[in-house]
Amino acid sequence: MKVIDDEKHELHPMSLMAVVLSIASLALVTATLFLNKNEPTFHIFLAIDTFICLIFWCQLLFDLSRSSSKSAYLKQHWPDFIASIPAIEPLRFMRILQVLRVFRLLRSSKQIYFQMINNRRETTLASIFLLLTVLITIGATSILFVEGQVENANIHTAGDALWWVFVTISTVGYGDYYPVTTLGRIIAIGIIICGVGLFGMVAGLISSVISDPQHEKAQQEKEHRKEWREMLANQQVLLARLERLEAKLDQQSQTENKNQQRQKSPTKQS
């Protein structure tokens, strides 16, 4: 497993995904403050927020396992762990710290581009989690809004909507819940198409891992070569500083010798 730098890991694809989901989670929690707890939309937002919290914990534990200094990582990110506890929505506002921390590091778009290019598999995995969360949120909310008030519909509760959207994304199609309105069927078509594309990304990621077992080793060798180049560059800088320091000491020694000779010359003349 590749060890990541404790400062630069904030710009890795999984961390950037967590920032986007943090903003989404804050929006969901803010929306629940204005909803009645008996409304189906409230339960959908609560379930989606819990799902996002599980993604947060996966991302935090993943970065912790790759961190070069785990104690430093925990010291810096303990608010993120607390903010990711499910079913306690007010704690989610602590994730503003992570959002601000990442925005502070985003000095230019080139940093994000290089991180995504150098971590393509992680970028794909982050995109899968992000798209899955978006599909669940939009699909469950929209289908409940469209079908919830129709008399002959069979999707009336938040649980029905969430079960339907998961089954539709996976393209399993049990048939126990289905839309009956035209708009609901249009939403289902969009969810199915996106679900097929999402699982295509999953299949591509798995096949790339299986077909290229030497990828991780090549990446590690590349990182080692980069570290060696940085060490050689630092050694050259140190050698240059030592040479300058040695030249300066020689100059000071020559100056002191000249001063001593000048002091001795009047003494010999007297």
Side-chain angles (χ1 to χ4, degrees), residues 42-80:
F42 175 85
H43 295 288
I44 286 181
F45 286 174
L46 184 62
I48 294 171
D49 179 65
T50 303
F51 177 74
I52 293 176
C53 287
L54 296 177
I55 297 178
F56 285 157
W57 275 97
C58 292
Q59 178 260 329
L60 289 170
L61 294 175
F62 183 60
D63 282 347
L64 176 62
S65 63
R66 298 190 302 168
S67 178
S68 58
S69 176
K70 293 179 174 52
S71 59
Y73 183 88
L74 290 174
K75 184 177 180 181
Q76 183 180 9
H77 291 273
W78 65 266
D80 299 332

Side-chain angles (χ1 to χ4, degrees), residues 23-180:
I23 298 173
S25 178
L26 291 173
L28 291 174
V29 172
T30 304
T32 57
L33 299 177
F34 301 95
L35 293 174
N36 189 341
K37 292 185 177 181
N38 295 324
E39 293 184 7
T41 306
F42 175 85
H43 295 288
I44 286 181
F45 286 174
L46 184 62
I48 294 171
D49 179 65
T50 303
F51 177 74
I52 293 176
C53 287
L54 296 177
I55 297 178
F56 285 157
W57 275 97
C58 292
Q59 178 260 329
L60 289 170
L61 294 175
F62 183 60
D63 282 347
L64 176 62
S65 63
R66 298 190 302 168
S67 178
S68 58
S69 176
K70 293 179 174 52
S71 59
Y73 183 88
L74 290 174
K75 184 177 180 181
Q76 183 180 9
H77 291 273
W78 65 266
D80 299 332
F81 281 94
I82 295 177
S84 301
I85 298 175
I88 307 180
E89 288 75 24
L91 292 179
R92 224 68 73 237
F93 289 98
M94 294 180 66
R95 298 200 66 88
I96 295 176
L97 298 176
Q98 183 187 12
V99 176
L100 296 177
R101 188 164 57 241
V102 173
F103 282 171
R104 178 175 54 84
L105 295 174
L106 293 177
R107 298 184 181 90
S108 66
S109 58
K110 291 183 179 180
Q111 297 184 27
I112 303 176
Y113 176 77
F114 287 134
Q115 288 290 348
M116 290 184 176
I117 291 298
N118 295 329
N119 302 276
R120 293 183 180 180
R121 291 181 179 175
E122 188 175 335
T123 302
T124 304
L125 184 61
S127 301
I128 290 171
F129 281 124
L130 186 59
L131 290 175
L132 181 61
T133 306
V134 171
L135 283 178
I136 292 172
T137 304
I138 296 177
T141 305
S142 59
I143 200 66
L144 184 62
F145 178 78
V146 172
E147 300 277 326
Q149 305 300 325
V150 179
E151 293 183 359
N152 59 339
N154 54 20
I155 301 175
H156 295 287
T157 65
D160 297 341
L162 289 170
W163 173 251
W164 173 84
V165 75
F166 273 107
V167 171
T168 307
I169 289 175
S170 63
T171 65
V172 173
Y174 283 117
D176 50 353
Y177 294 102
Y178 52 88
V180 296

